[in-house]
Amino acid sequence: MKKLIAATAAAGLLSAGLIGAAGTAQAAPYPPTVETKPKVQGPLNAVAPGTPVKIRVNIAAVGNAKPKGKVTFVVRKPNGKKVKTVTRKYNNAKNFSVGKLPRGNYKVQVKFKTGKNSVFKNSKNSVRFKVGR
């Protein structure tokens, strides 16, 4: 009878989490595992000055899941000087405008950033284009 009472008391303490659960650590969330690759297409011909520059972005991922996150466009001159930074929400492939730019050659770096608990990895790509004819 004593063993039955002792076993019942121990089972009650274990199920309540008072014994054995003290000091256990929780595992960190898994790191992102799905590779992403932004496919970026800029204007094929020179863009006329005063016309908004459109950049097509498609984030490719392994499998059939659609990556979601933010896309940041960093527009730079050939000398590396930053001209403009634009951030937009990304859900599917689409055209994004980086605004109107003065004459010159430009390079746009496209950075894809996912949420904190996303399975998709962050990635980046770039494209060059010219404004002015």
Side-chain angles (χ1 to χ4, degrees):
M1 189 70 173
K2 288 181 185 179
K3 289 181 182 178
L4 182 63
I5 294 172
T8 306
L13 291 173
L14 284 173
S15 65
L18 299 175
I19 297 177
T24 58
Q26 292 185 355
Y30 288 109
T33 57
V34 178
E35 296 283 335
T36 58
K37 176 74 175 154
K39 294 179 184 177
V40 182
Q41 183 180 1
L44 299 177
N45 299 321
V47 177
T51 304
V53 177
K54 302 229 182 217
I55 309 267
R56 177 130 180 109
V57 178
N58 183 14
I59 308 296
V62 177
N64 59 358
K66 302 285 186 206
K68 292 182 182 178
K70 291 185 180 180
V71 179
T72 302
F73 300 91
V74 180
V75 182
R76 296 182 187 270
K77 288 277 204 177
N79 62 5
K81 182 180 176 189
K82 189 187 301 184
V83 176
K84 182 185 280 195
T85 302
V86 179
T87 302
R88 299 279 188 253
K89 200 175 192 181
Y90 180 84
N91 285 341
N92 275 329
K94 57 176 138 177
N95 291 324
F96 294 95
S97 175
V98 293
K100 298 176 183 178
L101 298 169
R103 289 182 190 268
N105 295 322
Y106 294 93
K107 179 180 179 181
V108 175
Q109 186 176 35
V110 178
K111 298 177 184 178
F112 175 67
K113 185 167 179 148
T114 60
K116 184 177 179 183
N117 294 326
S118 177
V119 297
F120 297 102
K121 289 186 175 183
N122 298 336
S123 57
K124 60 185 174 181
N125 201 347
S126 62
V127 65
R128 294 178 185 270
F129 61 90
K130 182 177 181 179
V131 175
R133 296 188 182 205

